[in-house]
Amino acid sequence: MNASEFRRRGKEMVDYVANYLEGIEGRQVYPDVEPGYLRPLIPAAAPQEPDTFEDIINDIEKIIMPGVTHWHSPYFFAYFPTASSYPAMLADMLCGAIGCIGFSWAASPACTELETVMMDWLGQMLELPEAFLAGKAGEGGGVIQGSASEATLMALLAARTKVIHQLQAESPELTQAAIMEKLVAYSSDQAHSSVERAGLIGGVKLKAIPSDGNFAMRASALQEALKRDKAAGLIPFFVVATLGTTTCCSFDNLLEVGPICNKEDVWLHIDAAYAGSAFICPEFRHLLNGVEFADSFNFNPHKWLLVNFDCSAMWVKKRADLTGAFRLDPTYLKHSHQDSGFITDYRHWQIPLGRRFRSLKMWFVFRMYGVKGLQAYIRKHVQLSHEFESLVRQDPRFEICAEVTLGLVCFRLKGSNKVNEVLLQRINSAKKIHLVPCHLRDKFVLRFAICSRTVESAHVQVAWEHIKEMAADVLQAETE
């Protein structure tokens, strides 16, 4: 493909993408395929001679689209949103065209410097404490990770390295292995499974702190665990506080947990993967109160801030704690500016060496929407979630299972777990809308998340009518 054909095919692809997104409401939200559907539809090996572009495009509709779950359908209410916007897509095109691997400043100065500035822009939108911003001479700063899972793991590994160095400085006879076997990290019993996974990868014990009646981690439960484990000779070193849990969007009590972590000299990491986007709105900023106690903070603009995946924003108060844990400088990666106070080599902030020019997406989206446009987008989703909550509350057959704060509603039929499992199965089998469940204590609960950029009140109303219809069928079958 030469430049001339690229121009022509590129315009065709933009048209295809625009048509797909404009017509996505008419596509069935969840596919009618079984595992293994795709292999029989394509050759067993790559072609020896080139295929035509037309053949490839035709196969998208014949082979790929039948197996796609349409996350951007206005009838997709599962999981949490995955962000999508035209400015971000255009920026991704440019990112692919530039094609730099931005592991160091010298590898592509604009790639590094734009990321530093965009993370400061976003930190200012959130009103993060100055300590988290790079500025011109700050000790903190932000980095774009691939996911919140990576951010949690990086924070845990940095905290692990820091405490090992501290203890070995105090007692040089201590081996790393002797310290490692005593390290213990903590999170709420409502924390995402990626936190547990970080503990597994990091080779440390992770303990779940029982949450309260609002599914939040509180000071008393954490303090009790710390006291018990220290008495047993263990070394508490890391706490993850979740703002906006995956199950029900509950919020750990930062103003209680934060001071304890600071007093005990335990690294506090905040995971606000979904909810963090809402903190750009003044009316939701109080949910981040207590961030000043944290050592690191992360959320995903690629969930709810119109920046396409992958773009997970992570800040640290002292970047030396992060970079010091992973710094390796082989000769082939060194450059003449790496000791400059302003210059950051982001390879020291992450697990992989290579990285894409992801800050372009932030730059395009922030400029083309503006802060006010992004705030309006968040507020619309929150308003729609409360509209759905109101519909549920008006039906005496249903109950709301957790406080509705942002864009997630947890609800269920009053009655057994079995009847709710059947209801969900009926809903998803019909494939008009798509939902996923969770467990809140011993209750099987349906989650209704406002996800699509194009979702409107009419879609919420259609979804509710469909849920009511399915519920009537399930309840009638129960009585027969």
Side-chain angles (χ1 to χ4, degrees):
M1 184 181 286
N2 57 27
S4 176
E5 187 179 4
F6 174 72
R7 284 190 176 94
R8 181 161 60 94
R9 300 306 190 184
K11 290 170 185 173
E12 291 174 8
M13 181 56 76
V14 167
D15 283 340
Y16 181 86
V17 169
N19 289 336
Y20 166 71
L21 291 172
E22 283 186 334
I24 198 169
E25 182 175 342
R27 293 180 183 260
Q28 184 173 283
V29 64
Y30 194 80
D32 275 322
V33 297
E34 297 295 329
Y37 90 95
L38 187 142
R39 184 175 288 275
L41 301 178
I42 61 176
Q48 294 297 313
E49 300 296 332
D51 279 342
T52 67
F53 189 78
E54 286 87 354
D55 286 342
I56 296 170
I57 290 294
N58 289 336
D59 282 346
I60 290 175
E61 281 298 329
K62 284 169 31 182
I63 297 171
I64 303 302
M65 285 299 174
V68 169
T69 300
H70 299 287
W71 280 63
H72 300 289
S73 166
Y75 295 116
F76 183 91
F77 302 103
Y79 310 108
F80 274 134
T82 180
S84 176
S85 68
Y86 293 120
M89 289 181 227
L90 293 173
D92 252 348
M93 287 177 63
L94 181 58
C95 171
I98 293 173
C100 63
I101 311 297
F103 48 78
S104 71
W105 180 86
S108 191
C111 181
T112 292
E113 295 199 19
L114 185 63
E115 183 163 336
T116 302
V117 176
M118 287 302 98
M119 291 300 293
D120 275 1
W121 273 21
L122 185 52
Q124 290 164 4
M125 288 185 218
L126 299 167
E127 297 182 14
L128 285 182
E130 197 72 22
F132 285 104
L133 307 182
K136 292 185 178 178
E139 294 183 358
V143 58
I144 301 174
Q145 303 285 2
S147 66
S149 305
E150 290 174 40
T152 301
L153 176 60
M154 290 299 295
L156 182 142
L157 295 176
R160 187 187 73 179
T161 301
K162 182 179 181 181
V163 73
I164 288 172
H165 288 171
Q166 286 175 341
L167 293 173
Q168 287 182 326
E170 297 167 5
S171 306
E173 74 281 1
L174 283 175
T175 65
Q176 179 170 321
I179 297 170
M180 284 273 292
E181 67 180 12
K182 293 184 176 180
L183 292 180
V184 58
Y186 307 86
S187 69
S188 162
D189 58 11
Q190 300 297 310
H192 192 271
S193 60
S194 62
V195 178
E196 183 178 359
R197 196 162 182 260
L200 290 172
I201 297 171
V204 298
K205 301 177 187 69
L206 180 76
K207 296 194 174 183
I209 304 299
S211 54
D212 69 5
N214 293 317
F215 307 102
M217 177 165 60
R218 303 295 298 273
S220 56
L222 176 62
Q223 189 77 70
E224 183 181 336
L226 293 172
K227 182 179 179 181
R228 182 174 60 248
D229 287 342
K230 288 168 72 175
L234 298 176
I235 305 169
F237 81 106
F238 186 70
V239 171
V240 177
T242 304
L243 301 182
T245 58
T246 302
T247 51
C248 64
C249 201
S250 59
F251 291 79
D252 289 340
N253 195 314
L254 278 186
L255 291 172
E256 289 184 2
V257 169
I260 292 174
C261 293
N262 288 185
K263 179 183 176 183
E264 299 285 348
D265 196 22
V266 170
W267 184 299
L268 175 61
H269 175 70
I270 296 173
D271 173 14
Y274 162 69
S277 296
F279 304 155
I280 68 169
C281 299
E283 65 268 34
F284 299 122
R285 176 54 180 79
H286 69 278
L287 297 168
L288 188 56
N289 288 350
V291 67
E292 61 271 17
F293 298 111
D295 297 276
S296 54
F297 166 69
N298 168 258
F299 86 97
N300 291 341
H302 68 229
K303 274 192 169 67
W304 204 14
L305 209 59
L306 296 169
V307 180
N308 292 37
F309 189 87
D310 58 343
C311 182
S312 187
M314 178 187 185
W315 291 266
V316 287
K317 266 186 184 167
K318 294 186 177 178
R319 59 179 177 266
D321 289 340
L322 190 64
T323 60
F326 309 103
R327 191 178 190 93
L328 291 172
D329 273 320
T331 303
Y332 50 82
L333 294 181
K334 290 184 177 180
H335 57 89
S336 57
H337 297 286
Q338 67 183 39
D339 294 323
S340 165
F342 176 73
I343 298 305
T344 289
D345 281 354
Y346 277 120
R347 71 178 186 273
H348 302 308
W349 296 58
Q350 61 176 21
I351 293 169
L353 174 67
R355 57 205 334 273
R356 300 187 305 118
F357 201 162
R358 292 178 290 204
S359 57
L360 282 171
K361 294 184 287 192
M362 299 171 75
W363 195 43
F364 275 45
V365 169
F366 295 166
R367 293 182 68 184
M368 295 193 74
Y369 278 88
V371 176
K372 290 184 178 179
L374 295 171
Q375 290 171 335
Y377 178 70
I378 297 292
R379 287 168 178 148
K380 176 182 175 182
H381 274 203
V382 175
Q383 178 185 345
L384 290 174
S385 74
H386 286 299
E387 179 179 336
F388 182 79
E389 176 194 14
S390 176
L391 293 170
V392 175
R393 289 191 184 279
Q394 291 170 35
D395 192 320
R397 299 172 299 174
F398 288 86
E399 61 182 339
I400 296 292
C401 303
E403 181 181 359
V404 179
T405 306
L406 299 177
L408 175 68
V409 182
C410 291
F411 73 106
R412 70 196 299 271
L413 277 171
K414 294 174 182 175
S416 68
N417 284 344
K418 181 64 178 176
V419 74
N420 282 282
E421 290 169 7
V422 173
L423 173 59
L424 181 65
Q425 191 274 330
R426 289 276 190 99
I427 290 169
N428 285 339
S429 293
K431 297 181 171 66
K432 290 185 177 179
I433 65 172
H434 191 50
L435 306 179
V436 295
C438 70
H439 270 96
L440 292 177
R441 305 291 187 241
D442 58 347
K443 287 185 175 181
F444 183 89
V445 173
L446 283 63
R447 296 169 74 263
F448 189 95
I450 305 297
C451 292
S452 171
R453 177 174 54 84
T454 58
V455 68
E456 300 287 349
S457 173
H459 301 112
V460 172
Q461 297 281 344
V462 168
W464 175 239
E465 290 302 318
H466 180 61
I467 291 167
K468 287 198 300 181
E469 181 183 335
M470 295 292 102
D473 290 346
V474 169
L475 292 173
Q476 182 176 346
E478 280 276 298
T479 60
E480 291 176 353

